[in-house]
């Protein structure tokens, strides 16, 4: 018998499997519905599959929304396992191969702590890419977007139409940009004494 109470014999549940959104990191999503589960939603990785556990009463729209929320949560948890500079360089190489045909070849990719007003920077003449330590702990797709942004600068120095066409290949560009804009906007909010959570 499984230690997971959702898998006890006789527990009514329905399971569906689907392909994940592009860039989510997993190859399949399995949604398991349970009549015993009332309010909570949880998720975990099982090999290359993501399993999302939800209450049976949820609508299809709620299911889709919660799957998206849980994929983001898992990605954020996974990216908190801090990548070292070597892993960051390997990731950049993999992203360049996947989205730019391997044409963007940095000589160095590393985290830095002196970039507080920008997420990343690139010096094309040196082939160096630096990412702000502030990205550590953000979802993988956000870190990947910033890496791709800087890799694109190795191919196109400015931010003209050619540059943005390169980034169109990454399916989560707009979402990652929105996430980063949200972080910046939140940092600009005034501190209100006595706000919830204090």
């Amino acid at each position: 018998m499984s230690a997971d109470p959702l898998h006890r014999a006789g527990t009514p549940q329905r399971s569906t499997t689907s392909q994940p959104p592009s860039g989510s990191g997993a190859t399949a999503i399995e949604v398991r519905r349970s009549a015993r589960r009332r309010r909570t939603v949880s998720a975990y990785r099982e090999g290359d599959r993501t399993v999302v556990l939800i209450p049976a009463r949820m609508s299809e729209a709620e299911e889709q929304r919660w799957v998206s929320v849980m994929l983001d949560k898992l990605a954020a948890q996974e990216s908190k396992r801090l990548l070292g500079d070597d892993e960051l360089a390997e990731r950049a190489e993999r992203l360049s191969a996947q989205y730019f045909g391997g044409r963007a070849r940095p000589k160095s990719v590393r985290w830095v702590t002196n970039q507080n007003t920008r997420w990343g920077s690139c010096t094309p003449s040196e082939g160096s890419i630096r990412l702000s330590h502030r990205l550590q702990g953000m979802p993988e797709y956000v870190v990947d977007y910033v890496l791709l942004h800087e890799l694109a600068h190795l191919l196109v120095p400015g931010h003209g139409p050619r540059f943005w066409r390169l980034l169109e290949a990454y399916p989560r560009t707009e979402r990652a940009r929105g996430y980063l804009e949200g972080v910046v906007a939140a940092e600009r909010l005034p501190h209100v004494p006595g706000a919830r959570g204090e």
Side-chain angles (χ1 to χ4, degrees):
M1 182 187 303
S2 169
D4 183 349
L6 292 174
H7 297 132
R8 286 190 198 127
T11 301
Q13 68 181 35
R14 181 167 54 95
S15 180
T16 57
T17 302
S18 62
Q19 293 306 309
S22 297
S24 68
T27 58
I29 300 165
E30 181 178 340
V31 177
R32 295 181 186 164
R33 291 175 171 264
S34 170
R36 291 188 134 172
R37 189 173 279 265
R38 297 284 177 220
R39 290 190 299 262
T40 60
V41 176
S42 61
Y44 59 92
R45 302 277 195 218
E46 193 174 75
D48 63 354
R49 174 183 306 272
T50 301
V51 178
V52 182
L53 308 169
I54 65 171
R57 62 170 176 71
M58 272 193 184
S59 69
E60 292 296 319
E62 287 174 310
E63 175 183 315
Q64 288 177 5
R65 184 177 74 80
W66 275 107
V67 165
S68 179
V69 165
M70 297 313 289
L71 286 174
D72 284 348
K73 277 189 170 190
L74 283 174
Q77 289 168 358
E78 289 164 354
S79 67
K80 282 182 182 171
R81 293 190 282 267
L82 300 181
L83 298 173
D85 290 346
D86 289 342
E87 291 92 353
L88 201 58
E90 288 170 15
R91 194 155 169 181
E93 186 178 326
R94 203 168 50 248
L95 288 167
S96 175
Q98 185 174 355
Y99 295 102
F100 303 145
R103 294 177 298 138
R105 295 187 182 135
K107 290 191 174 101
S108 70
V109 182
R110 61 190 173 93
W111 296 107
V112 294
T113 57
N114 63 351
Q115 286 189 142
N116 294 315
T117 58
R118 52 172 64 181
W119 298 113
S121 61
C122 174
T123 307
S125 61
E126 297 173 4
S128 64
I129 291 175
R130 295 159 304 282
L131 294 192
S132 172
H133 72 287
R134 295 167 55 221
L135 289 164
Q136 292 175 332
M138 289 189 188
E140 274 185 27
Y141 74 91
V142 175
V143 176
D144 286 352
Y145 164 73
V146 176
L147 265 175
L148 280 164
H149 184 106
E150 302 310 331
L151 285 165
H153 279 308
L154 292 175
L155 304 173
V156 179
H159 287 106
R162 225 174 110 228
F163 174 85
W164 292 111
R165 273 195 300 277
L166 278 174
L167 285 178
E168 284 174 5
Y170 183 57
R172 299 186 92 180
T173 290
E174 287 307 312
R175 188 171 189 181
R177 291 183 71 190
Y179 184 99
L180 293 171
E181 287 169 9
V183 169
V184 170
E187 288 171 351
R188 291 181 181 154
L189 290 174
H191 173 73
V192 180
R196 212 170 67 186
E198 293 181 11

